[in-house]
Tab-separated table of all heavy atoms in Angstrom:
chain	number	residue	atom	x	y	z
L	208	ALA	N	92.663	198.767	-93.284
L	208	ALA	CA	91.976	198.590	-94.573
L	208	ALA	C	92.288	197.225	-95.144
L	208	ALA	O	93.370	196.678	-94.901
L	208	ALA	CB	92.442	199.677	-95.540
L	209	PRO	N	91.356	196.644	-95.912
L	209	PRO	CA	91.703	195.413	-96.621
L	209	PRO	C	92.744	195.697	-97.696
L	209	PRO	O	93.037	196.868	-97.977
L	209	PRO	CB	90.357	195.006	-97.265
L	209	PRO	CG	89.528	196.244	-97.296
L	209	PRO	CD	89.993	197.121	-96.176
L	210	ALA	N	93.328	194.660	-98.279
L	210	ALA	CA	94.327	194.858	-99.345
L	210	ALA	C	93.682	195.639	-100.488
L	210	ALA	O	92.560	195.340	-100.900
L	210	ALA	CB	94.816	193.502	-99.838
L	211	LEU	N	94.400	196.660	-100.979
L	211	LEU	CA	93.852	197.539	-102.012
L	211	LEU	C	94.658	197.425	-103.307
L	211	LEU	O	95.855	197.116	-103.273
L	211	LEU	CB	93.893	199.002	-101.535
L	211	LEU	CG	93.196	199.312	-100.206
L	211	LEU	CD1	93.433	200.768	-99.803
L	211	LEU	CD2	91.697	199.015	-100.268
L	212	ASP	N	93.996	197.704	-104.438
L	212	ASP	CA	94.728	197.737	-105.706
L	212	ASP	C	95.316	199.129	-105.911
L	212	ASP	O	95.204	200.004	-105.053
L	212	ASP	CB	93.834	197.271	-106.878
L	212	ASP	CG	92.722	198.276	-107.212
L	212	ASP	OD1	92.710	199.393	-106.651
L	212	ASP	OD2	91.854	197.926	-108.034
L	213	ARG	N	95.903	199.363	-107.077
L	213	ARG	CA	96.613	200.638	-107.297
L	213	ARG	C	95.658	201.826	-107.359
L	213	ARG	O	96.090	202.980	-107.334
L	213	ARG	CB	97.474	200.555	-108.558
L	213	ARG	CG	96.665	200.503	-109.820
L	213	ARG	CD	97.441	200.080	-111.040
L	213	ARG	NE	96.516	199.826	-112.129
L	213	ARG	CZ	96.126	200.770	-112.971
L	213	ARG	NH1	96.612	201.979	-112.880
L	213	ARG	NH2	95.252	200.491	-113.910
L	214	LEU	N	94.363	201.548	-107.452
L	214	LEU	CA	93.369	202.623	-107.466
L	214	LEU	C	92.659	202.755	-106.132
L	214	LEU	O	91.620	203.405	-106.038
L	214	LEU	CB	92.353	202.387	-108.587
L	214	LEU	CG	92.930	202.373	-110.005
L	214	LEU	CD1	91.861	201.977	-111.019
L	214	LEU	CD2	93.504	203.733	-110.361
L	215	GLY	N	93.190	202.071	-105.114
L	215	GLY	CA	92.614	202.187	-103.769
L	215	GLY	C	91.368	201.345	-103.555
L	215	GLY	O	90.636	201.543	-102.579
L	216	ARG	N	91.102	200.369	-104.444
L	216	ARG	CA	89.904	199.536	-104.320
L	216	ARG	C	90.266	198.210	-103.647
L	216	ARG	O	91.298	197.613	-103.974
L	216	ARG	CB	89.312	199.233	-105.712
L	216	ARG	CG	89.005	200.460	-106.528
L	216	ARG	CD	88.586	200.129	-107.948
L	216	ARG	NE	89.636	199.474	-108.720
L	216	ARG	CZ	89.617	199.343	-110.042
L	216	ARG	NH1	88.603	199.791	-110.741
L	216	ARG	NH2	90.613	198.741	-110.671
L	217	PRO	N	89.423	197.707	-102.720
L	217	PRO	CA	89.714	196.410	-102.098
L	217	PRO	C	89.782	195.303	-103.167
L	217	PRO	O	88.836	195.139	-103.942
L	217	PRO	CB	88.528	196.189	-101.158
L	217	PRO	CG	87.998	197.561	-100.873
L	217	PRO	CD	88.229	198.342	-102.136
L	218	VAL	N	90.897	194.586	-103.186
L	218	VAL	CA	91.064	193.564	-104.236
L	218	VAL	C	90.016	192.460	-104.121
L	218	VAL	O	89.643	191.853	-105.114
L	218	VAL	CB	92.488	192.947	-104.241
L	218	VAL	CG1	93.516	193.942	-104.675
L	218	VAL	CG2	92.833	192.373	-102.883
L	219	VAL	N	89.502	192.254	-102.902
L	219	VAL	CA	88.528	191.196	-102.729
L	219	VAL	C	87.272	191.451	-103.584
L	219	VAL	O	86.592	190.515	-103.992
L	219	VAL	CB	88.175	191.004	-101.228
L	219	VAL	CG1	87.490	192.222	-100.644
L	219	VAL	CG2	87.319	189.770	-100.993
L	220	PHE	N	87.001	192.704	-103.902
L	220	PHE	CA	85.811	193.036	-104.707
L	220	PHE	C	86.130	193.470	-106.143
L	220	PHE	O	85.243	193.482	-106.990
L	220	PHE	CB	85.023	194.175	-104.047
L	220	PHE	CG	84.623	193.905	-102.623
L	220	PHE	CD1	84.890	194.834	-101.633
L	220	PHE	CD2	83.976	192.724	-102.281
L	220	PHE	CE1	84.524	194.589	-100.308
L	220	PHE	CE2	83.610	192.470	-100.967
L	220	PHE	CZ	83.883	193.409	-99.981
L	221	TYR	N	87.371	193.900	-106.384
L	221	TYR	CA	87.632	194.565	-107.670
L	221	TYR	C	88.817	193.962	-108.440
L	221	TYR	O	89.377	194.629	-109.303
L	221	TYR	CB	87.915	196.052	-107.444
L	221	TYR	CG	86.773	196.836	-106.837
L	221	TYR	CD1	86.667	197.011	-105.465
L	221	TYR	CD2	85.785	197.431	-107.633
L	221	TYR	CE1	85.626	197.734	-104.893
L	221	TYR	CE2	84.744	198.157	-107.083
L	221	TYR	CZ	84.675	198.311	-105.711
L	221	TYR	OH	83.641	199.034	-105.154
L	222	ASP	N	89.214	192.754	-108.139
L	222	ASP	CA	90.440	192.275	-108.806
L	222	ASP	C	90.191	191.662	-110.180
L	222	ASP	O	91.091	191.565	-110.989
L	222	ASP	CB	91.200	191.288	-107.906
L	222	ASP	CG	90.442	189.997	-107.694
L	222	ASP	OD1	89.191	190.039	-107.746
L	222	ASP	OD2	91.076	188.951	-107.490
L	223	LYS	N	88.964	191.273	-110.484
L	223	LYS	CA	88.710	190.598	-111.766
L	223	LYS	C	87.985	191.526	-112.744
L	223	LYS	O	87.217	192.401	-112.349
L	223	LYS	CB	87.809	189.376	-111.531
L	223	LYS	CG	88.443	188.280	-110.687
L	223	LYS	CD	89.254	187.345	-111.562
L	223	LYS	CE	89.830	186.162	-110.808
L	223	LYS	NZ	90.551	186.444	-109.578
L	224	LEU	N	88.232	191.288	-114.027
L	224	LEU	CA	87.479	192.008	-115.058
L	224	LEU	C	86.060	191.460	-115.142
L	224	LEU	O	85.850	190.254	-114.987
L	224	LEU	CB	88.152	191.813	-116.414
L	224	LEU	CG	89.451	192.587	-116.659
L	224	LEU	CD1	90.185	192.006	-117.853
L	224	LEU	CD2	89.171	194.062	-116.862
L	225	ILE	N	85.112	192.350	-115.402
L	225	ILE	CA	83.726	191.920	-115.641
L	225	ILE	C	83.721	190.830	-116.720
L	225	ILE	O	83.040	189.805	-116.613
L	225	ILE	CB	82.878	193.123	-116.119
L	225	ILE	CG1	82.766	194.191	-115.028
L	225	ILE	CG2	81.500	192.671	-116.619
L	225	ILE	CD1	81.896	193.878	-113.862
L	226	HIS	N	84.499	191.064	-117.751
L	226	HIS	CA	84.581	190.174	-118.910
L	226	HIS	C	84.999	188.745	-118.523
L	226	HIS	O	84.581	187.782	-119.153
L	226	HIS	CB	85.612	190.798	-119.849
L	226	HIS	CG	85.744	190.169	-121.191
L	226	HIS	ND1	84.764	190.214	-122.156
L	226	HIS	CD2	86.783	189.486	-121.755
L	226	HIS	CE1	85.190	189.596	-123.253
L	226	HIS	NE2	86.404	189.149	-123.025
L	227	ASP	N	85.835	188.636	-117.475
L	227	ASP	CA	86.348	187.305	-117.084
L	227	ASP	C	85.245	186.386	-116.596
L	227	ASP	O	85.348	185.167	-116.725
L	227	ASP	CB	87.399	187.445	-115.967
L	227	ASP	CG	88.701	188.020	-116.496
L	227	ASP	OD1	88.859	188.066	-117.731
L	227	ASP	OD2	89.540	188.437	-115.678
L	228	ASN	N	84.217	186.957	-115.978
L	228	ASN	CA	83.163	186.119	-115.386
L	228	ASN	C	81.788	186.342	-116.021
L	228	ASN	O	80.773	185.907	-115.470
L	228	ASN	CB	83.067	186.386	-113.873
L	228	ASN	CG	84.299	185.910	-113.145
L	228	ASN	OD1	84.702	184.755	-113.277
L	228	ASN	ND2	84.934	186.803	-112.403
L	229	CYS	N	81.765	187.005	-117.150
L	229	CYS	CA	80.481	187.338	-117.772
L	229	CYS	C	79.798	186.095	-118.335
L	229	CYS	O	80.435	185.239	-118.955
L	229	CYS	CB	80.716	188.350	-118.888
L	229	CYS	SG	79.198	188.779	-119.762
L	230	GLU	N	78.484	186.048	-118.103
L	230	GLU	CA	77.723	184.891	-118.611
L	230	GLU	C	77.647	184.856	-120.137
L	230	GLU	O	77.271	183.849	-120.717
L	230	GLU	CB	76.314	184.933	-118.010
L	230	GLU	CG	75.519	186.157	-118.410
L	230	GLU	CD	74.605	186.680	-117.293
L	230	GLU	OE1	74.910	186.480	-116.114
L	230	GLU	OE2	73.584	187.298	-117.637
L	231	ARG	N	78.003	185.967	-120.801
L	231	ARG	CA	77.973	186.004	-122.273
L	231	ARG	C	79.356	185.753	-122.866
L	231	ARG	O	79.551	185.893	-124.083
L	231	ARG	CB	77.423	187.349	-122.754
L	231	ARG	CG	76.011	187.594	-122.269
L	231	ARG	CD	75.385	188.815	-122.900
L	231	ARG	NE	74.054	189.016	-122.341
L	231	ARG	CZ	73.034	189.547	-122.986
L	231	ARG	NH1	73.176	189.968	-124.206
L	231	ARG	NH2	71.855	189.688	-122.408
L	232	ARG	N	80.321	185.436	-122.014
L	232	ARG	CA	81.697	185.286	-122.472
L	232	ARG	C	81.838	184.199	-123.546
L	232	ARG	O	82.632	184.310	-124.483
L	232	ARG	CB	82.587	184.998	-121.268
L	232	ARG	CG	84.035	184.712	-121.572
L	232	ARG	CD	84.710	185.895	-122.275
L	232	ARG	NE	86.067	185.520	-122.658
L	232	ARG	CZ	87.127	185.713	-121.885
L	232	ARG	NH1	87.002	186.308	-120.729
L	232	ARG	NH2	88.321	185.323	-122.268
L	233	GLY	N	81.062	183.131	-123.411
L	233	GLY	CA	81.120	182.056	-124.407
L	233	GLY	C	80.791	182.580	-125.795
L	233	GLY	O	81.416	182.178	-126.792
L	234	HIS	N	79.843	183.509	-125.866
L	234	HIS	CA	79.476	184.086	-127.163
L	234	HIS	C	80.602	184.978	-127.685
L	234	HIS	O	80.882	184.999	-128.884
L	234	HIS	CB	78.166	184.881	-127.044
L	234	HIS	CG	76.978	184.006	-126.789
L	234	HIS	ND1	76.488	183.126	-127.727
L	234	HIS	CD2	76.200	183.839	-125.689
L	234	HIS	CE1	75.446	182.468	-127.233
L	234	HIS	NE2	75.256	182.882	-125.981
L	235	PHE	N	81.233	185.707	-126.788
L	235	PHE	CA	82.400	186.504	-127.201
L	235	PHE	C	83.458	185.574	-127.810
L	235	PHE	O	83.984	185.820	-128.885
L	235	PHE	CB	82.979	187.252	-125.991
L	235	PHE	CG	84.241	188.019	-126.289
L	235	PHE	CD1	84.187	189.368	-126.639
L	235	PHE	CD2	85.484	187.410	-126.232
L	235	PHE	CE1	85.349	190.079	-126.920
L	235	PHE	CE2	86.652	188.108	-126.519
L	235	PHE	CZ	86.582	189.448	-126.855
L	236	ASP	N	83.736	184.502	-127.065
L	236	ASP	CA	84.771	183.563	-127.527
L	236	ASP	C	84.401	182.919	-128.867
L	236	ASP	O	85.281	182.543	-129.636
L	236	ASP	CB	84.993	182.471	-126.469
L	236	ASP	CG	85.678	183.028	-125.225
L	236	ASP	OD1	86.159	184.179	-125.268
L	236	ASP	OD2	85.728	182.311	-124.202
L	237	ASN	N	83.113	182.792	-129.104
L	237	ASN	CA	82.670	182.187	-130.366
L	237	ASN	C	82.472	183.218	-131.475
L	237	ASN	O	82.032	182.887	-132.565
L	237	ASN	CB	81.355	181.434	-130.165
L	237	ASN	CG	81.577	180.132	-129.428
L	237	ASN	OD1	82.669	179.562	-129.476
L	237	ASN	ND2	80.569	179.679	-128.708
L	238	GLY	N	82.767	184.472	-131.161
L	238	GLY	CA	82.593	185.518	-132.177
L	238	GLY	C	81.142	185.858	-132.450
L	238	GLY	O	80.807	186.325	-133.542
Side-chain angles (χ1 to χ4, degrees):
L211 305 175
D212 70 8
R213 70 195 170 89
L214 298 174
R216 304 173 296 195
V218 291
V219 65
F220 305 130
Y221 298 93
D222 67 331
K223 295 274 184 310
L224 286 164
I225 295 287
H226 188 68
D227 287 347
N228 293 307
C229 178
E230 62 216 28
R231 300 188 182 211
R232 176 60 185 269
H234 291 292
F235 176 94
D236 290 349
N237 286 334

